[in-house]
Amino acid sequence: MAANMRGLTQFIADIRGARVRELEEKRINKEMANIRKKFKDGNLDGYQKKKYVAKIIFTYILGYKVDVGHMEAVNLISSSKYSEKQIGYLAVTLLMHENSDFLRLVVNSIRKDLDENNEISNCLALHAIANVGSSEMAEALSEDVHRLLISPISPTFVKKKAALTLLRLYRKHPTVIPAAEWALRLVSIMDDQDLGVVICVTSLIMALAQDHLDAYAVCYTKAVDRLHRLVIEHEYSLTYAYYKVPSPWLQVKLLRLLQYYPPSEDATLRSVLHDVLQKIMNDSAEPSRNVQHNNAQHAVLFEAISLAIHLDASSPLVGTSAVLLARFISSKETNVRYLGLDTMAHLAARADSLEPLKKHQGTIILSLRDKDISVRRRALDLLYSMCDTDNSELIVGELLRYLKVADYALREEMVLKIAILTEKYANSYKWYVDTILQLISAAGDHVGDEVWYRVVQIVTNTEDLQEYAAKVVFEHLKSPSTHESLVKVGGYILGEYGHLIANDAGYSPLEQFQVLHSKSQFCIASTRSLLLSTYIKWVNVFPEIKPQLINIFERYRHVLDAELQQRACEFYALASRPDDDEVLQNVCEEMPPFPPRVSALIGRLNRKLGDTEDKRTWIHGGKEMNLERQAITRKMVLGPGSSTNGTATAPGTTDAQDVMNSLAGLNLSGTGDQPVVAPQLAVGPSVDRWFNKLTYSADGVLYEDVQIQIGIKSRYQGHLGQLAIYFGNKVSAPLTSFTSTVHVNDSEALSATFAKIPPNTMASRTQSQQLLHVECKKAFTSFPIITVSFLAGAHQSISIRLPISVAKFIEGVKLGQADFFERWKVIGGPPREAQAVFPIALDSAGQLDLVRHRQVVSGNRLEILEDVDPNPSNLVAAGVLHTSVDGKVGCLLRLEPNREAKLCRLTVRSTSEDVATEVLRLIENVLRSDSS
């Protein structure tokens, strides 16, 4: 750039040649004055504007304040020459902040560059949007960026930049991006042929899916399919093989994306994922001599282990993982040790048994003294997660010993974790008190108020502990240096329970007073206020030291602090009342037990750790704590104060308020589970006609338009069924990013899974088949919905009902006349009987269409019984519904048509009232529809 502009080259040379800063400033001021004059005179061509703006940019980069050249930079953006446009965009992104008024002038120019069929102009515009990223720019241009990303004619380089630009805008202004609306179209790009585009789009979808899980649920199948193609089928170009590892960055992102969703119930997806994870672990079993290869392989391996733990913590894969992790935490490489400890903490947070981890407890404890602080932090997290009742005393003891030499950056977190573990796994209250008081003595300023609040709460609520706690805290107060938090604990406990030990040698009232009061001179006003409350309690129970206490109240009546002065005056007045006055006794009654309360320590720890942009799906602290966290998060998300990040926090809440709220009890009010929204169905007379026919037929057309035809062949046996779904491409171009998903409204009653992941491309004028396995667990009333989406120029999405009804799982039963009517009477009338009278159509001859009636009844898999009803027009049928959970359900039917009235009475009796109602509805809908 500078080589083509001699003035700029000379200017840079002069600056570099300046021996002192004063000469540099003088040269810059001279140049700025010249530039101002040139800009004021006007009539500059593009080359001159470019040259002067480049000098301004260089000056700005050197750290000097620049206040000229903004309009000229805006004008350069509109230039048709690349070199001038480049300098203009560079100046805009460097010189203008996101709230600059000048940015409004460049929005139209940027939009024009986005609309151009020019890769370079597109990329310059995308750079500017991503770097500036103002709210106005996001609102005005996000649609244009999205259009560039989804356009089939956009170059791959532009698509990559467009995806990352949208990611940048979403992170800065999430409300501007219609994430749910764009979901299907964005997910379809995960099938792009270029892995670079897939990596960028996956990064975008990871951010969007964290806040819109349901909308982006279809990405789960896409991620599994892409992993299978990368790891198992080796479907990638050599460009994306990093030291023989296929696109490790994409693998890591896909494995992380799958962890945002609960484990899939689809057996096919689970099987494919198992194969992928097994292959990754097998490939990483033996380390390579190549460092880069190891790094890439380990990055993928650790994410694969995390996913295996997420899917099923008791699977054989996780057992293999535990063996690998044991090797990694002893590695010589710091990064490997760090990742090994972190992943092992994930295993501890989800595993049913901690025994495999306890084998390596000594190695983990040694990691607390690692030379790298990040490794020490991960070792602390792991010990915290793997602690239980069996090893709590050992782990807490080690943490207490390490606390005295730990880094200051770790101490506050360590204090919280030691306090939580001590409370959660205490084998005795005495051990709890001893440990917490040791913690307060050792940690000093790093002990938050939550810790001593919790001690006071537990001692107050545990009567057997009060005398012991008073003695122990008194002994701690005798030490020469005592931290203020310990003085607070001592003041409260001795004030409430000091009388329990007053008769023991060495714990007399006078000794208690002397020890506690000797510490007050080193305390702040709030602690002295608490000690005054202790003294007034002692006035009531220790009359022998009343003169000394009244003397202290008298002195504090004249201090400058308003809180201390008021307390002293009030307590002095109380203490000066006659000994037989009941007011003092009533005021100084012993504190009642606190109501059951949730500890504030865990909440404080979670707030301290916080969520990063890439949110964890688990927390440190064992399986029980993770289950509690999931339940609380679910309630919070569904509650009125929830946020899109899944963490509900009332506006303006402070740590102190959170502490007091926790002491008052935790109140989480949820509104119940939100219903899953079904997809929008395709409508039309032909669609309904095809569907109604398939409810009583085994095969036929389900849907057809100018682009695609969908047909079905089905067979059922007992509670199981299989549908062969045929997709036909009717156009002369391939259908890409082809996806089919099945939505089941009640997964506890019906399961539907594809036999294998379907191919994502359908060649022109060809047909493909997918097998769908279904299982009836209980009676159900709603049809599953299949959603088919594909790219054919634009993105198309079709949702249609699948003709899978509860009647498909009925098996016909042959009964004689006597048996039928005996069972008919045994079942009885309502509620196990459903009956309807409805109009029917006659055939072309004006007669009852008995063939049609028989076809509909037998098509719903009921056995038509001959010679049971004397009227030949009537139909009698019987069958048994097979379910895997509720067992077998009997079903009997009578169909009585009337030709003169053009009406039909249908009666269904079943041992299940739900089945009777549903079978009646299915048959009535078809026969009634024939009359329309």
Side-chain angles (χ1 to χ4, degrees):
M1 184 198 306
N4 299 327
M5 292 183 283
R6 285 180 294 174
L8 176 61
T9 305
Q10 186 59 49
F11 176 59
I12 294 173
D14 292 346
I15 296 297
R16 287 180 174 174
R19 294 189 301 275
V20 293
R21 184 171 179 81
E22 287 76 13
L23 294 175
E24 181 182 293
E25 289 179 357
K26 184 178 178 181
R27 178 67 182 90
I28 286 174
N29 291 336
K30 178 182 177 183
E31 191 64 41
M32 289 297 107
N34 180 53
I35 291 173
R36 286 191 187 91
K37 182 176 182 300
K38 294 290 185 182
F39 284 165
K40 187 175 180 181
D41 294 342
N43 298 324
L44 298 175
D45 59 19
Y47 170 79
Q48 291 173 314
K49 284 183 183 177
K50 176 181 72 171
K51 180 178 66 174
Y52 292 134
V53 171
K55 290 181 178 181
I56 291 171
I57 292 172
F58 183 73
T59 304
Y60 177 80
I61 291 172
L62 289 177
Y64 290 91
K65 196 171 182 181
V66 170
D67 56 2
V68 294
H70 295 81
M71 273 308 301
E72 284 69 21
V74 171
N75 293 334
L76 282 173
I77 288 177
S78 305
S79 172
S80 58
K81 292 183 179 180
Y82 167 71
S83 60
E84 295 174 9
K85 187 186 289 287
Q86 182 194 33
I87 291 293
Y89 272 116
L90 185 59
V92 165
T93 54
L94 283 175
L95 303 181
M96 300 181 192
H97 58 81
E98 63 179 62
N99 298 319
S100 172
D101 292 333
F102 285 102
L103 286 178
R104 296 172 185 169
L105 303 175
V106 301
V107 168
N108 286 331
S109 297
I110 293 176
R111 181 179 283 119
K112 182 182 175 184
D113 286 336
L114 290 175
D115 291 339
E116 278 190 21
N117 191 18
N118 183 313
E119 181 177 348
I120 293 173
S121 297
N122 294 160
C123 291
L124 286 173
L126 290 170
H127 282 171
I129 296 169
N131 286 326
V132 178
S134 66
S135 178
E136 286 186 25
M137 194 176 279
E139 290 177 9
L141 299 173
S142 58
E143 291 281 353
D144 298 275
V145 178
H146 175 251
R147 178 184 50 74
L148 265 184
L149 174 60
I150 66 175
S151 172
I153 61 171
S154 292
T156 57
F157 200 63
V158 173
K159 283 186 178 181
K160 289 190 279 189
K161 289 188 180 295
L164 296 177
T165 301
L166 279 179
L167 175 60
R168 166 78 169 165
L169 293 180
Y170 182 74
R171 284 176 173 168
K172 287 193 74 175
H173 311 288
T175 56
V176 173
I177 305 297
E181 182 185 324
W182 291 352
L184 288 176
R185 189 62 184 87
L186 291 178
V187 170
S188 68
I189 307 174
M190 291 178 71
D191 288 323
D192 197 279
Q193 296 298 315
D194 189 279
L195 285 185
V197 174
V198 178
I199 291 172
C200 296
V201 169
T202 304
S203 299
L204 173 62
I205 288 173
M206 285 176 70
L208 298 173
Q210 289 178 73
D211 297 330
H212 306 86
L213 283 175
D214 290 339
Y216 286 84
V218 69
C219 75
Y220 195 95
T221 306
K222 298 280 186 190
V224 174
D225 181 40
R226 178 63 75 173
L227 279 170
H228 181 262
R229 286 190 281 155
L230 275 175
V231 178
I232 306 294
E233 298 179 357
H234 300 290
E235 190 181 310
Y236 59 91
S237 64
L238 290 177
T239 311
Y240 289 96
Y242 180 79
Y243 289 91
K244 299 181 182 179
V245 180
S247 191
W249 304 278
L250 179 57
Q251 286 192 58
V252 167
K253 289 177 186 295
L254 294 173
L255 292 167
R256 176 65 60 86
L257 177 61
L258 292 175
Q259 293 174 58
Y260 297 151
Y261 289 90
S264 173
E265 296 180 1
D266 189 319
T268 305
L269 289 179
R270 287 204 304 269
S271 174
V272 172
L273 261 183
H274 180 276
D275 293 343
V276 169
L277 296 175
Q278 186 73 61
K279 181 76 164 60
I280 291 172
M281 291 184 189
N282 290 343
D283 290 346
S284 305
E286 292 299 326
S288 166
R289 291 184 179 181
N290 189 301
V291 176
Q292 285 83 357
H293 175 79
N294 276 343
N295 288 342
Q297 211 165 46
H298 287 154
V300 176
L301 173 64
F302 284 117
E303 209 58 63
I305 293 174
S306 290
L307 178 59
I309 295 167
H310 175 75
L311 294 175
D312 183 6
S314 58
S315 70
L317 281 176
V318 176
T320 306
S321 305
V323 175
L324 289 171
L325 291 174
R327 191 179 77 200
F328 291 138
I329 62 172
S330 303
S331 171
K332 293 180 180 179
E333 294 183 40
T334 303
N335 289 341
V336 175
R337 288 200 306 277
Y338 173 92
L339 290 170
L341 290 167
D342 188 53
T343 311
M344 200 174 266
H346 185 187
L347 178 57
R350 291 284 175 84
D352 293 320
S353 171
L354 295 171
E355 292 306 316
L357 302 182
K358 288 180 181 177
K359 296 175 184 175
H360 313 290
Q361 191 167 282
T363 306
I364 298 165
I365 289 172
L366 283 176
S367 297
L368 281 174
R369 288 162 175 78
D370 195 276
K371 60 184 179 181
D372 190 293
I373 186 173
S374 59
V375 174
R376 296 197 293 272
R377 192 182 293 277
R378 292 288 78 84
L380 169 62
D381 292 337
L382 176 51
L383 286 171
Y384 173 68
S385 295
M386 64 184 284
C387 187
D388 61 14
T389 50
D390 296 330
N391 60 7
S392 57
E393 292 194 21
L394 173 63
I395 287 180
V396 169
E398 284 291 340
L399 292 179
L400 275 173
R401 279 192 289 276
Y402 176 62
L403 180 63
K404 297 171 184 176
V405 295
D407 306 78
Y408 284 99
L410 280 176
R411 287 195 182 184
E412 186 178 354
E413 186 180 336
M414 284 192 72
V415 167
L416 286 171
K417 289 182 174 178
I418 292 171
I420 291 168
L421 294 178
T422 306
E423 178 184 339
K424 188 174 182 181
Y425 299 112
N427 294 317
S428 69
Y429 282 117
K430 292 182 178 180
W431 178 74
Y432 170 76
V433 170
D434 289 340
T435 305
I436 291 294
L437 292 181
Q438 282 182 50
L439 175 64
I440 294 174
S441 300
D445 295 331
H446 300 281
V447 178
D449 286 341
E450 299 93 339
V451 177
W452 77 266
Y453 287 173
R454 194 64 177 163
V455 179
V456 163
Q457 181 181 321
I458 289 173
V459 171
T460 303
N461 287 15
T462 312
E463 188 173 346
D464 297 340
L465 183 62
Q466 291 161 359
E467 181 179 344
Y468 179 78
K471 285 186 177 180
V472 173
V473 79
F474 180 76
E475 294 299 330
H476 276 276
L477 287 172
K478 282 183 177 179
S479 61
S481 59
T482 307
H483 192 267
E484 196 158 332
S485 294
L486 196 59
V487 176
K488 293 176 184 176
V489 176
Y492 184 95
I493 291 178
L494 291 177
E496 292 293 330
Y497 312 113
H499 63 279
L500 299 176
I501 61 172
N503 296 326
D504 296 348
Y507 301 104
S508 67
L510 183 60
E511 288 173 301
Q512 289 185 39
F513 167 70
Q514 289 172 342
V515 167
L516 192 59
H517 189 61
S518 66
K519 308 294 181 183
S520 65
Q521 58 183 319
F522 306 109
C523 299
I524 60 175
S526 60
T527 305
R528 294 187 186 188
S529 299
L530 187 148
L531 294 180
L532 289 181
S533 299
T534 301
Y535 298 158
I536 193 65
K537 293 260 185 179
W538 281 349
V539 168
N540 186 39
V541 294
F542 298 149
E544 59 267 38
I545 59 170
K546 184 175 179 179
Q548 293 97 312
L549 298 173
I550 291 178
N551 184 38
I552 290 173
F553 293 144
E554 171 64 32
R555 289 212 316 267
Y556 273 95
R557 286 169 64 192
H558 308 291
V559 297
L560 296 177
D561 187 274
E563 170 71 15
L564 279 171
Q565 189 184 81
Q566 183 175 347
R567 285 195 186 217
C569 290
E570 292 171 357
F571 293 161
Y572 181 81
L574 276 174
S576 301
R577 299 179 73 87
D579 293 340
D580 57 350
D581 194 330
E582 294 183 359
V583 174
L584 179 62
Q585 297 175 13
N586 293 335
V587 169
C588 298
E589 280 187 356
E590 191 174 302
M591 282 286 288
F594 291 92
R597 291 162 182 177
V598 175
S599 172
L601 301 175
I602 295 175
R604 171 68 184 276
L605 180 63
N606 290 341
R607 280 198 309 278
K608 179 174 175 57
L609 297 176
D611 265 339
T612 59
E613 285 180 343
D614 191 12
K615 301 172 185 62
R616 278 186 184 271
T617 56
W618 56 280
I619 57 172
H620 297 293
K623 183 176 182 180
E624 182 184 336
M625 204 172 289
N626 274 272
L627 292 174
E628 289 174 4
R629 181 246 195 181
Q630 288 172 9
I632 291 173
T633 303
R634 194 179 303 116
K635 288 181 180 180
M636 284 180 161
V637 170
L638 296 175
S642 64
S643 70
T644 56
N645 288 335
T647 307
T649 309
T653 303
T654 62
D655 285 355
Q657 288 172 327
D658 288 341
V659 171
M660 298 315 296
N661 287 341
S662 70
L663 289 177
L666 191 64
N667 180 24
L668 294 172
S669 57
T671 58
D673 291 340
Q674 292 178 332
V676 178
V677 180
Q680 188 76 28
L681 293 174
V683 293
S686 297
V687 175
D688 293 337
R689 188 176 71 253
W690 292 327
F691 175 78
N692 286 333
K693 183 179 179 181
L694 282 168
T695 58
Y696 60 90
S697 304
D699 55 76
V701 174
L702 180 63
Y703 178 85
E704 185 171 8
D705 60 20
V706 296
Q707 294 176 318
I708 192 170
Q709 182 187 60
I710 304 174
I712 280 182
K713 285 186 179 180
S714 61
R715 60 179 182 178
Y716 295 87
Q717 182 70 41
H719 64 276
L720 300 175
Q722 185 182 74
L723 275 76
I725 306 176
Y726 296 90
F727 300 97
N729 180 2
K730 298 172 64 177
V731 297
S732 57
L735 302 181
T736 58
S737 190
F738 190 88
T739 307
S740 57
T741 55
V742 175
H743 170 84
V744 178
N745 196 40
D746 185 1
S747 59
E748 293 184 359
L750 178 72
S751 71
T753 57
F754 285 109
K756 63 179 182 178
I757 299 175
N760 57 23
T761 302
M762 192 185 301
S764 63
R765 304 196 185 282
T766 59
Q767 188 181 73
S768 69
Q769 173 189 311
Q770 291 184 35
L771 289 180
L772 183 71
H773 296 295
V774 291
E775 179 186 3
C776 179
K777 303 174 184 176
K778 301 177 182 178
F780 58 94
T781 58
S782 58
F783 297 100
I785 297 170
I786 184 171
T787 300
V788 178
S789 62
F790 53 87
L791 288 176
H795 186 261
Q796 309 287 332
S797 182
I798 304 161
S799 294
I800 41 180
R801 292 173 296 173
L802 283 173
I804 303 172
S805 65
V806 72
K808 298 288 187 181
F809 300 94
I810 291 177
E811 185 178 355
V813 176
K814 291 184 179 181
L815 295 174
Q817 186 179 35
D819 288 340
F820 177 84
F821 284 109
E822 182 184 348
R823 298 189 185 194
W824 184 267
K825 290 176 183 177
V826 168
I827 294 174
R832 295 198 285 185
E833 175 187 275
Q835 189 177 80
V837 178
F838 50 87
I840 56 171
L842 304 178
D843 63 14
S844 57
Q847 300 297 319
L848 293 171
D849 195 348
L850 298 179
V851 175
R852 184 68 152 181
H853 295 173
R854 295 177 73 88
Q855 188 180 15
V856 171
V857 173
S858 60
N860 279 280
R861 299 180 59 79
L862 290 158
E863 180 76 25
I864 296 176
L865 308 178
E866 307 293 348
D867 303 326
V868 172
D869 195 305
N871 188 338
S873 300
N874 294 350
L875 289 180
V876 177
V880 174
L881 170 66
H882 294 267
T883 66
S884 60
V885 175
D886 289 348
K888 297 179 180 180
V889 179
C891 183
L892 305 175
L893 174 145
R894 295 185 71 182
L895 183 72
E896 302 165 286
N898 186 308
R899 185 174 67 84
E900 289 75 17
K902 295 184 181 180
L903 294 174
C904 179
R905 181 170 68 184
L906 176 62
T907 309
V908 181
R909 289 187 179 182
S910 171
T911 51
S912 165
E913 56 188 89
D914 294 334
V915 173
T917 305
E918 182 60 17
V919 172
L920 177 97
R921 184 180 71 85
L922 290 168
I923 296 177
E924 180 191 351
N925 281 351
V926 178
L927 293 179
R928 182 190 290 271
S929 66
D930 286 346
S931 68
S932 57

